[in-house]
Amino acid sequence: KRMARRWLRLAAVVAAAGLPGLGAAAAQAVTNVAIVGESENAAGKTIGLYGYTDMLSQQEVLLDEAVVDAEGRFTLRCYANYPRLVFVEVENYSQSFYVEPGRDYRVYLPVFDWSIDERRNVFLAPEPLPLRFLDLPADELNLRIAAFEAVVDSFLLANRVYFDPKFKPQKRYFDSLLVCLSKRGFKAAEPGADGETFFDRYMTCTLAGIQLATRAASRARLVGRYINSKPVRYYDEQYMRLFFDLYAGSISRGTRRVPLQRLVAWVHSGDLAAYMDSVGLDPLLRNEQVRELAVLQALKESYFDREYEPAEVLHMIGQMAVQSKFAEHRELASRLASLLAAREQGSPMPPVELPDVDRRRVNLDSLRGNWVYLSFVRVGDPNCLAELETMAHFRDSIYARHKDVRFVSISCDREFQKMYLFLTNSKRGRRYGRLWLHFDGNYRLLERYGVVSYPTFVLLDPEGRLHYTVTPPPASGILLRGPWEKESPAESGFTAPFINR
């Protein structure tokens, strides 16, 4: 009950804050960037252009999308008032690059094997989209970044022993790196100097990150040079990466002045003011604006820390979405809260309308009032088949005792025909007969349901809400004493401490 009350308070806080609109290209009345492309074998596929709303939540926003025409051509448009990182995505494959305001890009997508994801998990071992740029001038931003990073990477590789934290890093080799870059024409302006460009900031922030990682400079020194007495550049993604690198893990696990137990106690009590004041004891966090942003990062880290209760952390983030003195932080907190809450127990799941084995469209909302145990599978995967066998073993007995339980399998095989032949032409498939749907190429749906491997299971309650943060598989014993049973888990003797944190 206590957790439920906290959840309701969080929902009210986030609603009061008002989430910013994250619409697609239809919401963009003005565009100043165009990406015109040609492809060899992507005709008929949906290609999307995405970006990050911010570098704290890294919530993805759809900027534009198009269907590649029969001749392999497509056009994507967006608006940018500052160089920003975007990525072109087709199915599970993507490629990122920077776009500059007012510039058009011509790209070419050569022949690509779209079935790679059926042979390996591209979430664990991503396969980049081999996007090629055409007719770029020599001073184009992405080319300059690539040339700069090539020099840095080759120098670090050649002198890796002197930068390795396992040994004693030698700071003089970082100075040698700067000399090497200067000889190649890469000399950045001083932070905050007149005429400082995006590329200058990209270089200085990248080099500062190398100093931090290799211990060539202390965190205090880097904060003093790049953060303190400088404006917080929320719009500059490389600057924000450096900021979060500098303060990563510096608060959430406790500090020399504030132990972890005290931070956990303040999060538990929901005392945001005491939390903020105690964090301010750190000399590197005396600046209020910097401190609030670092606290937001610390709360994000705490959400995934077993020492903290996730719902209590969400409540603290929700408070910041309302109480922060800075509009940027209220917006960041709102986005972060909505992103984290989307996978929490009790969160509503998006409607699903997919084709069944007879190609009839089925909406899962039609199953409201039932416990729906979703299984995302591939019919040729042995791990999926083993779990499907367990479900088939218990299906008849569960259906006989509980009229409000439904097993639904969603085939994530690329070809619809693979599911059809499995269910109609094999003995094993006929044994698994129940409601089967095909994911119909909806990769964003898989992402929303947290599918990154097969099989993945998701349990929806009768209201269509997520019942578990992580749903146990059939082999865990959940089908013996599921939540649809009238008695409580303690009374039934079934315990699964790994289900929720």
Side-chain angles (χ1 to χ4, degrees), residues 77 88 304 356 381 398 403 413 425 469 497:
R77 301 180 184 277
V88 172
F304 301 99
D356 64 8
D381 186 286
I398 291 178
K403 304 300 182 183
D413 297 282
N425 291 0
T469 303

Side-chain angles (χ1 to χ4, degrees), residues 268-390:
H268 176 71
S269 65
D271 194 340
L272 179 61
Y275 188 102
M276 293 288 297
D277 289 343
S278 65
V279 169
L281 295 175
D282 189 333
L284 301 181
L285 292 168
R286 297 288 170 79
N287 183 296
E288 187 176 15
Q289 187 176 10
V290 170
R291 186 196 320 162
E292 277 201 6
L293 185 55
V295 164
L296 272 175
Q297 179 189 11
L299 290 173
K300 178 183 176 181
E301 295 169 353
S302 300
Y303 179 83
F304 301 99
D305 192 323
R306 296 184 67 88
E307 297 289 339
Y308 298 85
E309 184 61 48
E312 296 172 351
V313 176
L314 278 172
H315 178 62
M316 292 283 281
I317 297 173
Q319 287 189 69
M320 289 202 68
V322 175
Q323 300 177 12
S324 174
K325 297 179 181 179
F326 304 95
E328 297 88 351
H329 296 172
R330 294 194 296 272
E331 188 173 350
L332 288 173
S334 296
R335 288 173 178 164
L336 182 59
S338 65
L339 184 68
L340 296 178
R343 291 297 302 173
E344 276 292 302
Q345 182 180 9
S347 62
M349 300 304 287
V352 180
E353 186 174 291
L354 300 172
D356 64 8
V357 69
D358 297 317
R359 293 191 180 275
R360 293 190 297 262
R361 306 293 294 187
V362 177
N363 195 318
L364 284 186
D365 281 349
S366 63
L367 299 178
R368 286 284 182 93
N370 299 285
W371 291 92
V372 180
Y373 192 61
L374 295 174
S375 54
F376 294 86
V377 298
R378 282 183 170 165
V379 298
D381 186 286
N383 296 316
C384 296
L385 295 177
E387 295 290 3
L388 289 171
E389 185 70 29
T390 303

Side-chain angles (χ1 to χ4, degrees), residues 439-457:
F439 86 119
D440 202 27
N442 192 339
Y443 290 90
R444 282 285 157 175
L445 173 70
L446 301 184
E447 181 179 322
R448 178 63 183 87
Y449 275 80
V451 180
V452 295
S453 63
Y454 303 102
T456 292
F457 299 90

